[in-house]
Amino acid sequence: MAKEMTGHCLCGHVTYRLDVEPVAQAFCYCADCQRQTGTAFSVVVAVPREAFHVEGDTLSSFETRGDVHGGPTRRHFCSGCGSPIFSAVEALPDLVYIKAGTLDDPSWLEPNAEVFTRSAQPWAPHLEQAARFETMPGA
């Protein structure tokens, strides 16, 4: 069994836990992640939806539509502090994408993929040994 991972928003009102190994760890350069994070990319950890347990009365969501991710994406955040927590992509219903900055201990992360490179800013950093995908694999 994998080590339990936990995380929370900036104010601590939304918390989560899981005890599975991540399916993927990546930099996402899609335009929606750029807008949500206010920077060039988002670091995400993909995990099985059924293993992800989130709690908090300030958990809210916003749905983005379009063909960016192969259909609608529901972006979950804390309405109290504004921290993005995770996203759920309709085209990949068995996974959620945790925003890595919300992990209580992100020191183990080793992102090895870059997705939506077609939207990457020319000045954005890149991972030297990463697999690169112009869009989202599997969507």
Side-chain angles (χ1 to χ4, degrees):
M1 179 182 289
K3 175 184 161 193
E4 183 178 64
M5 289 181 275
T6 58
H8 64 277
C9 64
L10 188 60
C11 69
H13 288 125
V14 175
T15 61
Y16 62 83
R17 65 179 171 75
L18 60 147
D19 58 4
V20 297
E21 294 294 322
V23 174
Q25 303 171 45
F27 283 11
C28 182
Y29 298 99
C30 81
D32 289 345
C33 277
Q34 290 180 44
R35 288 197 187 280
Q36 184 185 40
T37 62
T39 190
F41 63 96
S42 180
V43 182
V44 295
V45 178
V47 299
R49 182 187 291 262
E50 78 262 352
F52 182 68
H53 307 282
V54 64
E55 297 177 351
D57 58 359
T58 58
L59 183 65
S60 294
S61 66
F62 179 78
E63 187 173 283
T64 55
R65 295 199 163 265
D67 62 354
V68 172
H69 298 107
T73 297
R74 183 153 297 277
R75 296 174 176 276
H76 299 265
F77 63 96
C78 174
S79 64
C81 65
S83 296
I85 307 294
F86 71 98
S87 296
V89 179
E90 188 174 281
L92 298 167
D94 296 332
L95 298 173
V96 295
Y97 299 87
I98 299 169
K99 300 299 182 172
T102 64
L103 288 163
D104 288 335
D105 177 15
S107 66
W108 56 269
L109 282 171
E110 294 182 17
N112 58 6
E114 297 179 352
V115 296
F116 288 99
T117 58
R118 70 177 182 194
S119 305
Q121 298 302 319
W123 46 265
H126 291 277
L127 299 165
E128 191 173 311
Q129 302 297 322
R132 291 186 172 91
F133 302 92
E134 285 194 9
T135 60
M136 177 181 277

